[in-house]
Amino acid sequence: MPELPEAETIARTLHQRLEGRTFSRVQVHRADIVHGDPRPLEETLPGRRVVRVSRRAKQVVFELDPTAKLAVRLGMTGRLMLVRPDAPLQPHTHMQAWFADTAEELRFCDPRRFGGLWLLTPGGALTGRRLTPPGPEPLTLRPAEFRTLLVRKRPIKSLLMDQTIIAGLGNIYCDESLFAAGVHPLTPARRLRPEQADRLLRAIKQVLRRAIAARGSTILDYRDPDGNGGTFRRQHRVYQREGEKCRSCGSVIRRIVLTGRSTFFCPTCQRR
DNA sequence: CGCATTTCCTGGAGGC
DNA sequence: TGCCTCCAGGAAATGC
């Protein structure tokens, strides 16, 4: 499930390979995964040049010239791939794009279709699914601002999972950050002491930086544009380790369900 | 209003 | 082996 580090890895790879390239042809196989400007991508993308590929929250964003953006939400199983044009077409490939100045072909695949593409143009109408503006980026967030986000009494984990509060954290990196900070996931956010809040933000940044360095976590589906997995899973301390021993204290890692999501933590290292 | 629960969707896992 | 049911999970909609 692509979260911030996976989206960052994908965006960096695509930027390296597609910067300056101009779309020549696009084929959409499922129109219902495209949102935003209602004009078909087949007409709007060809002729536009890729100025930059970057990441915002968990989205991969293509900045184009003439001015437009293509935002890609990967959802659970979304993949952006760079392939040779003769590569066999995998099931659930919803879009293919070709370029005027490279043989590489870009494909968007998403079996579960929780993801999608948003074409954002100046003054363009917005149709289809909504792209809610994400909260602040954790890697550049200042401690003082982070503390002001923690005024709710919701459990800290459900707050960190809320993309409108803070962008880019999903189930894996929430659990790993809370462990690294020694904070119990059910702690009401407003009950965190300022020093705990500061420690949590430092933990979030460290976990994300290490995960980016490892090119993300591959559990089942995640792959980068070249089909390679990330290796951060080896460094997981709690995520999907229910019943195994805590690497710090030896206690048995527990799993609870919080707002419908599996939540893993060490009952000793993360006290209420 | 604030929070929890349900919905979307498919493939993989587990039961028998 | 094969069929069936269950379930994960991000984000939006719905419910309380």
Side-chain angles (χ1 to χ4, degrees), chain A residues 19-250:
Chain A
E19 181 192 13
R21 312 294 191 194
T22 300
F23 283 98
S24 59
R25 189 161 75 91
V26 169
Q27 241 184 320
V28 173
H29 303 293
R30 276 200 75 112
D32 61 355
I33 56 112
V34 186
H35 316 281
D37 190 318
R39 290 176 294 165
L41 294 184
E42 286 93 335
E43 293 169 19
T44 47
L45 290 188
R48 283 192 151 98
R49 186 173 50 91
V50 177
V51 176
R52 193 160 88 105
V53 186
S54 58
R55 176 198 60 77
R56 172 73 172 105
K58 300 175 188 173
Q59 299 160 25
V60 175
V61 182
F62 293 76
E63 292 165 48
L64 308 173
D65 181 50
T67 307
K69 282 184 184 177
L70 183 69
V72 181
R73 181 194 285 166
L74 299 158
M76 275 283 295
T77 54
R79 286 174 60 178
L80 283 165
M81 300 188 289
L82 285 171
V83 297
R84 296 164 40 141
D86 60 356
L89 201 64
Q90 297 87 334
H92 310 292
T93 300
H94 306 313
M95 187 211 60
Q96 294 172 270
W98 296 266
F99 298 86
D101 28 28
T102 174
E104 292 196 289
E105 180 189 324
L106 177 70
R107 293 181 183 175
F108 176 68
C109 307
D110 186 12
R112 292 187 197 175
R113 281 184 275 136
F114 283 7
L117 310 176
W118 277 258
L119 177 65
L120 307 168
T121 52
L126 292 176
T127 58
R129 295 178 74 98
R130 184 146 81 117
L131 198 62
T132 307
E137 286 288 328
L139 286 171
T140 49
L141 192 57
R142 291 156 175 267
E145 194 190 345
F146 183 61
R147 276 182 248 140
T148 67
L149 303 176
L150 307 181
V151 291
R152 324 294 187 85
K153 68 174 183 186
R154 301 161 69 176
I156 183 63
K157 167 151 181 196
S158 87
L159 200 79
L160 295 181
M161 292 283 285
D162 187 333
Q163 298 302 299
T164 65
I165 304 282
I166 183 170
L169 298 173
N171 221 20
I172 296 174
Y173 300 108
C174 279
D175 284 4
E176 292 298 320
S177 298
L178 288 167
F179 173 81
V183 173
H184 192 289
L186 291 178
T187 309
R190 63 157 69 136
R191 297 281 298 277
L192 287 179
R193 305 178 47 152
E195 77 203 34
Q196 276 184 300
D198 291 353
R199 200 190 320 144
L200 178 56
L201 182 59
R202 285 197 301 273
I204 288 169
K205 292 182 179 183
Q206 187 181 58
V207 164
L208 292 176
R209 287 201 192 100
R210 288 180 177 173
I212 291 169
R215 301 180 66 82
S217 302
T218 293
I219 307 298
L220 289 173
D221 300 293
Y222 169 70
R223 300 280 154 173
D224 73 12
D226 293 314
N228 302 311
T231 61
F232 191 69
R233 186 182 187 176
R234 289 188 211 135
Q235 297 180 54
H236 289 179
R237 292 292 180 263
V238 287
Y239 187 74
Q240 287 206 337
R241 296 194 65 240
E242 180 186 18
E244 296 176 41
K245 285 184 177 172
C246 173
R247 298 193 211 279
S248 295
C249 75

